[in-house]
Amino acid sequence: MLLLIPLFPLAGFLVNACFGRRLPKSVSGGVACAAMVGAFTVAVLSVLSMMRSADGALQQDVFTWFASGTLQVPFSLRLDHLSSVMILVITGIGSLIHIYSTRYMHDESDAEFARYFSYLNLFAAFMLVLVLGANFPVMFVGWEGVGLCSYLLIGFWFRKKSAADAGKKAFIVNRIGDFGFILGMLLVFATFGTLDFQQVAAAADARAVEHGVFGVITIATLLLFLGATGKSAQIPLYVWLPDAMEGPTPVSALIHAATMVTAGVYMIGRNAVLFSHAPTTLAVVAGIGAATALFAGTIGLVQNDIKRVLAYSTVSQLGYMFLAMGVGAFAAGIFHLYTHAFFKALLFLGSGAVIHALAGEQDLRNMGGLKKDLPITYWTFLIGALAIAGVPLLAGFFSKDEILYRTFTASNSGHVLLWAIGAVTSLLTAIYMFRLVFLAFHGVRRHDAPAAPAHPEEEEPAAHHAAPAAARAHGADSHGPGAHHHVHDAPPSMAIPLIVLAIGSIFAGYVGVPHALGGVNRIERFLEPSFEVSEAARERQNGAGRVADRGAQPIQTASPQETRSADQGGGDENHGSAELLLMAISSGIALAGIGIAAYFWLRNRPAADRLARSMAGPYGLLSNKYYIDELYDAAVVQPIKLFSTGGLWKGMDAGIVDGAVNGVGLAVQAGSGGLRRVQTGSVRTYAAALFVGVVVILGFYLWR
Amino acid sequence: MIGLNHYLILSGLLFAIGTAGVFVRRNLITVLLSIEIMLNAVNLTFVAVGRYRGNVDGQIITFFVMTVAAAEAAVGLALVISLFRHRETLNPDAFTSLKW
Amino acid sequence: MLSVIVFLPLVGAVLVLLAGGGGDRHDRAPAVRTLALAVSLATFLATLLLWWRFDGTSADYQFVERHAWIPAFGIQYLVGVDGISLLLVVLTAFLTPLALLSSWDSVHKNVKMFSFFVLALETSMLGVFVSIDLFLFYIFWDFVLIPMYFLIGIWGYERRVYAAVKFILYTMAGSVLMLIAIIGLAYAHGAATGTPSFNLLDLYSVHLPWRTEMWFFLAFALAFLIKVPLFPFHTWLPDAHVEAPTAGSIILAGVMLKMGTYGLLRFAFPLFPSAAMYFAPWIAVLAVVGIIYGALVAMVQPDMKKLVAYSSVSHLGFVVLGLCAMNVQGAQGAVYQMLNHGVSTGGLFMIVGMLSDRRHTRLISEFGGLKGVMPRLVAAFLLITLASIALPGMNGFVGEFLILLGAFLWNTKLAAFAASGVILSAVYMLWMFQRVNYGNVTNAKNRALPDLTPREWTMMVPTIAMCIAMGVLPGVFLRPIEPSVKRTIERVTGRSYGASARPQPPLLATLTSPRPDAQPAPPAPDARTARPGRPIQHPRPAGRERASSE
Amino acid sequence: MDVAVFYIFGAIAVLASLFVVAQGNPMHSVMLLITSFGALAGLYVLLDAPFTAVTQIIIYAGAIMVLFLFVVMLLNIPREDPVQRTASALLGPTGMRMGVLLSVVLGVEVVWAMSRMAGAGFSEGPSAPSVSSVAGIGGELFTRHAFAFEATSVLILVAMVGAVVLARKEQP
Amino acid sequence: MTEYAGLIPLLILALTAIAAMLAEAFREPGERMPIAGLGLIGLTGAAVASVALWNSDAHSMGVIRSDNFALFINLVLCIIGILTMLMSGDVVERERIPAGEYYALTLFALCGMMMMAAATDLLVVFLALEILSLAVYVLTGIRRRSAAGAEAAFKYFLLGAFSSAFFLYGIAFAFALSGSTRIEQIGEALSRQGAAEPSMLALLAVGLLAVGFAFKVSAVPFHMWTPDAYEGAPTIVTAFMSTAVKAAAFAAFARVFLSPLEPLKAQWIPMLSVIAALTMILGTVVGVVQTNVKRMLAYSSIAHAGYLLIGIVSANTTGKAAILFYLLAYAVTNMGALGIVALLGTEAKPHDELRDFAGLWRSRPGLAGLMTIFLLSLGGLPPTAGFIGKWYIFSAAVQEGHYWLAVIGVLTSVISVFFYLRIVVMMYMTEGSDAVRPRVAATAVAGLALAVIAVLYLGVLPTRALDLALDSISTIF
């Protein structure tokens, strides 16, 4: 049954990959959507049966993937509460995005259309494997697989160099993360002798929490976290995600907002027990998360590409999730992941609708006043923006608040600072989101306006997007319809996903209404078992557990559950008011942010320009994304290239190594040329040589 | 009293003189003569050793060496004539078309 | 059975000669091609039968054939396969028909001799893998060079002569020293038991003085490491690959490089365990340097074939690293990776061959935007590329993962450095892939290139199918390997005192303060790391102690 | 007496041989060589080998040297070529001096070795009675050395054929 | 009968040679006469006689010992002779070599070689050496019109005479030592003296005898004549002398050094080791830059002498057997290689320059293929006779612990592969010159076929030949 979930999209992929070129769009799109809907159906059924099952999890060992010595890697799928949230998000939102795509991509040729859907289906399959995988290697299959699909989809318009580059960049940056992931996996195996999540958790649970100790679990989790930073676009490996916006917008929605990028968060949640045994790592996770959130938020403030704004927003929100994970609020992190999937997918799809309507225009400066033309898009987009900004009673409010609250009450050192960063980020989020809304939908249309001449520094790397659409129409691979025409609102197949997601963005949060508001935080309770060592695994561990018997039992076996319940116990009574206060603050922040945005970009737009001019330095820094890409290029990429070409290839390889080889040859030749000169041709030389031989031999004998 | 080593030393001297001839003379015939000197030096050794050991083999070997010397001389002189026909010179250093 | 498999291609080669008629007759070329292909396919089927009848649970040699050959020196015609060689035999037989196919249209010059050399090459490579007698092994080992030399030298590209000569001299220079070591070993056996023997199984039991063992090991290792080729003995490879015809490259990368790693595992390590243990870290360091170095140099190559060649240096570095780890995961992974690399790099060379057949250039800068022109070929290219960069689900991953795991259990730092190859392989392969296939068609010559032909389909489909099958179902391949690998490891480590005292992974040793934490939890990841009942000794090979006590 | 004779003949042989190689006229060289051979014959007599002495004179000095003389006169080159400037140092006068030096070294080596071989059978007079009769020589020659004797026939045949082949004028 | 049984092969050859001369004498001008056939009959007869004498260990006239060692060499020489006869026909006619004298001298040379291999008296060794040398000198210069031939013959002759004087001097010291030239007696005298403190005479004898043999086998630094003589001689003669002279000289070398001089092993092993090493190195290194195939093969033959010297230096059973096997392998290989060079020559041009081989693959694929096999065998690559021979030789060295010689041996053989491959490169990988390729006579084809079969047979199934070689060495030592 579990296997069916990824098999559906896989089948869809195979059909489209093998026969797609010959199928009409309706068939290939239909197949892909059917596969996703089928997967969604099976996923719902699976979740229901999981809920009914005794130990709250379903496991399916498909076959032994590979085995060597004591290493056994079964291809096992496991559905528990955590993964059930994920598969529902993936299949559900995935289905919507598939449907949306049938219209969005309709201008492609049949073959390209089928290719698109085959990739998309393949992505879904891998993502489901990632989520369902019961051990590290199977998860890694999905992990790398989604990376591959991301690569393919980002580079879908392969004729565009920037798209191909972005795809490559995404894959390679992900690979850097995977490097950490692999090493983490290896260290886990070397330490615990197993790669099964359950067993690892059980084995880790039997160890002391590494408080203040840079122990093996800390190293392993840090390595795994490196993997997570790659996949989830955190500092220092976030650079690929903004570039990934070169891909089709639905792809950005599905992969680069709702699902794949959250894999890192999911992975940490999956290994919650392991991570909670490494406080150092958690601190790092929290720090990185917070830093990324702030950092990306600031950049998002000044971007002019609609999708890039959303991309930085995603990075920022992912930072939130990591912040949650880092403070041990795993459920809150996953909760935010879940709500974020709705509203970020919505925002992306909405931006897609805008782009679609504007024939590929992505530059905010060329938009404006779209409210009238695109009412559905506008309203749904607005809901998304409100949700992400954390306006009360929408989805984002609950999850974001939960995170901020957890951070504030966390035991991490510097938790207040983390909270403050989170709060600032929250403000930034509101500002840039509504900047987006106001710029795109309000005011008047400026679609033929040239890029602001007063601000040459605003020439982004992706400036070609800002180029007049007419010029781009010549490009054979322009993905929009060729010329300007009537701006139309989203057609039904695009509108329906928007509407569904909008509804989700409003109501998705109500599964996690906090106690302070009289809710029961159902999601947290639902997820809890996944962050603990399951009883079955614990028993297995103890049964085989010579480890637990060896030496003194760890002084403190801190399962996250304990910490959390301790928190919670107090939270209900002592911190209830604190939580309400915090909630109020953040609500205020969200509204303030909206207000600020409204002032600058709705009321007094010149003020924004003035501000930008007066703070040209910081503005330039931000709009150039802190020059991180340039820094990486100058500090890493170019030196390696130069070193490889000049140092290794031309110098070392051709010069020294091969030089030595050929040198031997040349030396022999030179020796040969020299020695042959002795052969003068004169018989007397020959006789002399002979004679020398005689004299030397006799001398040798007589000398002794 | 003349000991065997007197003869041996004498033959050694002669042999060395013969070898020198090969290097000093730039005339093929003289070079051949030098080799004859060497062979004769060896002959002297044979005869002397035979005498001092009371062994007739020394003298017999001398006859064989003389035969060999004659045969070599025949072939060698034939070659000299043949060479002279090609080059009109007897300088061994003139024959260096084969080298290296 | 085995002899039939080994010599069937040779018989075929002779038949090809006869069928080809005198001189270079073009009218006979199709017949010759078909005949050669038929023979190689028959061989492949025979090897499949061999696999079918192979008992995967046994570590012993199977299908052993033994005939006296030069009895005075204990030389026998002794062949057999075990788990390590079985799949290499199959791989050889699998790649040869593909190699023949790959040159179907591109070789016009004297097809008869071409087919002859390819088939002769197949015989000799099969012989290398099945020989148990060292003398026989060496004969095949050296003979491999001859057909390959001609393949490169006659049907290669511009600098073919230089490449061919460099290839044969370089690899010969390494292997001749091994010949001396083989002889020395046989006489050491003679000195111990009265009769010299070249039988590998006899020689496993020979005990050598440390110095002798060291030198012999180095002689063997040099031969194999040049063949692998390990950094810094690799420079023959790029030249040979670049200049070789496609078929030559496929076989060279697909099979011949494996002869080196196979030799390490089969001969160098188990024959000289103490020396192997002593030198393994050094070789592993070279392997890791090779992984990174090969990748970095590959990255900046302007020539696709050269790029793939350097990538081979990098990939084979993994294999050697796995072997040096000398534990089950490492060695098994190494053997598996040999197969993977054979298939995937073979595939890469096929692709490059197809491109260069179409355009007569292999420079990356000459291409661009091919995806729009030849979508199917590029799809195949992509799949092979992914296999090459070890995407999970493709074959490369399993091998690399096992190797890294084995290496990690042995020496953390090396494994960590080696793992960076994972990043770099993605860098150079994808960069190349992107430059060739993505973007606009900038070169007018590329605008109308034909997509995959039926012949190319028949090459690519089995290759890609193998890549995926080996990634998804590695168990099928790993299972027969395991018993033999385990036995080999026992030979290497069981006899060497150094085994139980492999150095603690330094990273763990330095970074973890409470020592028990660093101890692996039972079940122990590997029988080798801690063998109960064995006193932990100073990690120095026994031979050294022996030598110093003398 | 013996001593004096030895030194006289020895001196003649050495001096004559030296002049053979020291002067350039081949005709003179042949004559000097005959002188040297004569001195050697004298030494042979001193060594109780009169038959050898006789063959030395008759065959060596008489036959072989005449052959040389004949060729010298046939080719008629009284002087050798002057030293040429050649590319290789090994061919010039330096090379020549090196050769002579080597000869001297060889001579020193041999002389040194021989003079060190004092002791039994070397520095005193002959210990065994000499066999100098022609009959005795002949007996040995045709019994113990019969094969060698036969072999010389082949040798001479080869030399003869060879000389003919080489020296014969090219047939048109 | 038994007294003379050991002489039968010698007699057959001598008589055949005389018959060849007589045939020439009775030949009408312009008449074609199959003198080669005569030689073939004689050689076959000698071979049959040798086989018949196998294991008889016939002593004849006190100085000829037709033990298996000598008989093995006889067989090698007969094979060389037969191949020479088969391949000479066209060449002799083309080069206008006086046929009767050519065949007679070849047969006399072979006779002398057999004598040398079987002789147990240094005097007979000397005489045999002179017989074969004089014959070969003359053969070298037998093309009277060729200045190069005359020059080569003269150089060879002069140096040969020079070295044989040294050799003779060595014999004289050996005679002074033991009072006899019989090797048994020399051996006895030496072992009586004991090996501990060898006398000055013994050392001088060893040194000078070594010089004589080293010259004949063209070991460094006594090798200088080799390239010139090989290049100047008619190619077929080069083939003959590079193989046959080497075989005979090594046979005598082994018999003298490994039997009577064996007690002085400690004295001569260092010397010969150094010579062997120098020979291998110089032969291969200088061979690298040669552009004339004959000259290249001359240097190669020097190198091969070095390998063979390893066999003598090893001075063990394996070494001795290895020498025999190697001689056989080298004989068939080099006869084949140089035979092809000889057959490619034309009246106008010898076609022995490297570039003359360009494109041979196209014009004469068969010859190119055979040449390749011979060259691979010379380079010591399996599955050819050359490989087994090298393996055998290096085995001997390794067995005695002479690892360094073996290492030099294998490394130089790698270098040598380089220059053999230069010919292969020319034949296969260079566009051809349009040189006139002469027809190759059926007899020559037969000879080449024989040689290539032998090369492959010895390479793949060397067992019988190896056993035979092992069986042949019991009497020396």
Side-chain angles (χ1 to χ4, degrees), chain A residues 238 242 291-317 344 364 388 425 427-437 439 460 597 601 618-619 621-626:
Chain A
Y238 73 92
T292 310
L294 180 65
F295 182 78
T298 54
I299 300 177
L301 219 43
V302 299
Q303 294 302 307
N304 283 323
D305 183 307
I306 185 167
K307 285 180 72 183
R308 276 184 184 254
V309 175
L310 292 176
Y312 281 105
S313 157
T314 306
V315 175
S316 175
Q317 297 301 312
K344 189 49 70 59
L364 282 174
I388 196 174
T425 310
L427 177 68
L428 291 173
T429 309
I431 296 175
Y432 64 68
M433 278 321 297
F434 277 86
R435 169 178 176 259
L436 192 62
V437 170
L439 281 178
E460 295 180 12
W601 288 287
Y619 184 81
L621 189 68
L622 289 183
S623 63
N624 283 301
K625 300 160 286 181
Y626 296 100

Side-chain angles (χ1 to χ4, degrees), chain E residues 391-417:
Chain E
W391 164 74
Y392 209 177
I393 285 277
F394 298 144
S395 293
V398 166
Q399 205 173 2
E400 288 301 302
H402 298 304
Y403 280 101
W404 67 283
L405 275 181
V407 169
I408 291 179
V410 292
L411 291 180
T412 51
S413 71
V414 172
I415 300 177
S416 76
V417 168

Side-chain angles (χ1 to χ4, degrees), chain C residues 23-24 69-73 75 109-110 113 135 138-139 142-143 146 149-150 153-155 160-161 165 168-169 172-173 176-177 179-180 183-184 187 198 216, chain E residues 318 361-362 365 372 376 379 381-383 387-388 391-392 394-395 398-399 403 406-407 410-411 414 417-418 421 424-425 428-429 460-463 466-467 470:
Chain C
D24 183 8
W69 189 14
I70 311 179
F73 294 90
I75 295 171
K109 192 163 67 174
N110 213 328
M113 291 310 289
F135 185 76
Y138 186 83
I139 286 195
D142 242 14
F143 182 68
I146 300 168
Y149 166 77
F150 281 105
I154 299 179
W155 290 277
R160 56 183 188 274
V161 173
V165 171
I168 196 167
L169 290 185
M172 243 190 106
V176 287
L177 294 177
L179 176 65
I180 293 179
I183 296 169
Y187 281 118
F198 286 82
F216 282 6
Chain E
T318 318
W361 186 42
R362 302 241 163 216
T372 308
L376 292 177
L381 281 157
F387 170 73
I388 303 285
W391 164 74
Y392 209 177
F394 298 144
S395 293
V398 166
Q399 205 173 2
Y403 280 101
V407 169
V410 292
L411 291 180
V414 172
V417 168
F418 171 75
L421 287 182
V424 176
V425 167
Y428 288 84
M429 303 165 199
V460 177
L461 297 169
T463 317
L466 283 178
D467 285 346
L470 277 172

Side-chain angles (χ1 to χ4, degrees), chain A residues 199-221:
Chain A
Q199 291 170 20
V200 169
D205 198 34
R207 283 164 174 258
V209 173
E210 290 176 340
H211 280 298
V213 175
F214 206 66
V216 64
I217 296 180
T218 308
I219 300 170
T221 47

Side-chain angles (χ1 to χ4, degrees), chain C residues 461-481:
Chain C
V461 168
T463 311
I464 291 170
M466 279 308 288
C467 285
I468 294 173
M470 292 177 74
V472 176
L473 296 169
V476 178
F477 304 87
L478 285 171
R479 218 168 295 132
I481 298 174

